[in-house]
């Protein structure tokens, strides 16, 4: 999914090229940044840890660490809906 196509008000998982993961409620995106609310933001060094965390969040809910987060759209590697992530 392209970040520009994410539905407003839906929880999404944004993975960046640097290994940072944003999980939060999508608000809007322009050509440069995307705005998310009530986010969990974490950096991961390996794929296994990252996927485990995403699946735990899908199962138990978002551990909000930031009220608002802006994501550089050029750094986005993937976007998916949190509801589509398999639960534990």
């Amino acid at each position: 999914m392209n970040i520009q196509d994410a539905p407003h008000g839906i929880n999404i998982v944004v993975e960046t090229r640097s290994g940072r993961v944003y999980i939060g409620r999508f608000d809007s995106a322009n050509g440069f940044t995307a705005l998310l609310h009530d986010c969990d933001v974490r950096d991961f060094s390996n794929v296994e840890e990252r996927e485990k965390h995403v699946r735990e969040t899908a199962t138990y809910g978002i551990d909000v660490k930031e009220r608002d987060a802006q994501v550089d759209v050029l750094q986005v590697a993937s976007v998916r809906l949190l509801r589509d992530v398999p639960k534990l």
Side-chain angles (χ1 to χ4, degrees), residues 2 18 21 25 34 38 49 55 58 60 63 65 75-76 84 86:
N2 186 326
S18 67
V21 174
R25 188 169 30 89
D38 303 324
E49 286 180 23
R55 291 183 71 176
Y60 302 115
D63 181 16
K65 294 192 176 47
Q75 294 301 313
V76 173
D84 293 344

Side-chain angles (χ1 to χ4, degrees), residues 12-65:
I12 61 172
V13 179
V14 179
E15 297 177 28
T16 65
R17 299 183 200 305
S18 67
R20 180 168 282 185
V21 174
Y22 297 84
I23 304 174
R25 188 169 30 89
F26 180 75
D27 185 316
S28 61
N30 61 32
F32 304 103
T33 60
L35 177 61
L36 281 76
H37 300 293
D38 303 324
C39 298
D40 184 4
V41 180
R42 295 194 188 188
D43 293 306
F44 293 94
S45 57
N46 69 53
V47 175
E48 293 82 22
E49 286 180 23
R50 181 177 63 216
E51 191 59 27
K52 180 179 181 233
H53 175 70
V54 171
R55 291 183 71 176
E56 285 177 355
T57 301
T59 303
Y60 302 115
I62 299 172
D63 181 16
V64 176
K65 294 192 176 47

